[in-house]
Amino acid sequence: MSEKLKIYVAGYECFLPNGYRLATHAKELCEEYGFEILSPVLGDGNNEDFSSLTKEQTAKKIFENNIGFIDKCDILVANINNFRGWEPDSGTCFEIGYAYSKGKKLYGFIDDMRPCYEKYIGSIHKDGGFWRDDNGAFFESGCVNLMISGPAKIAQGGLEQALQMIKNDLEQGE
């Protein structure tokens, strides 16, 4: 029997009040699709106690743990929905870049696939063939910055849609 592919699920869910429940549901979905989840929220079973650490030590340990999970994964799946503004979570963006640098397969999921300029919450105008924001900066044409949409395959919807995309890609030998 072959070993299950390991999927690191990146996203801002860990900050939400129901983060643990969401991580548990993500684990169930991964198992349903035949994958093993690596999750910062669920940990690795070691149940580390951070109570004696300073904020800085805790942050460093969480960072190191997350990097360790990414190093062990085969595939990174990222929630690239807007978080605290109109762009994806910056920590998730870092994790995508780190995983890319390690040669991991990248997938993302997003609710709204419209181009960035259509989702922008400020004023926009067209100038010289480009949509520009209220500061004059132009928008890329994708649903997120090309540094994410370039290397990652993106599914519309949630984690389950991304897992289905991965399963389909694996069945087609990608």
Side-chain angles (χ1 to χ4, degrees), residues 137-151:
F138 74 89
F139 289 93
E140 294 167 283
S141 59
C143 64
V144 292
N145 185 287
L146 65 82
M147 297 303 286
I148 296 171
S149 65

Side-chain angles (χ1 to χ4, degrees), residues 8 24 32 124 141:
Y8 179 85
T24 301
E32 181 180 321
I124 62 170
S141 59

Side-chain angles (χ1 to χ4, degrees), residues 66-99:
N66 292 0
I67 292 297
F69 284 136
I70 296 169
D71 286 342
K72 292 176 193 170
C73 81
D74 301 296
I75 301 168
L76 180 137
V77 178
N79 178 347
I80 56 173
N81 283 295
N82 298 348
F83 181 66
R84 296 185 179 144
W86 76 280
E87 296 233 55
D89 170 53
S90 57
T92 301
C93 293
F94 172 86
E95 290 173 324
I96 292 167
Y98 180 79

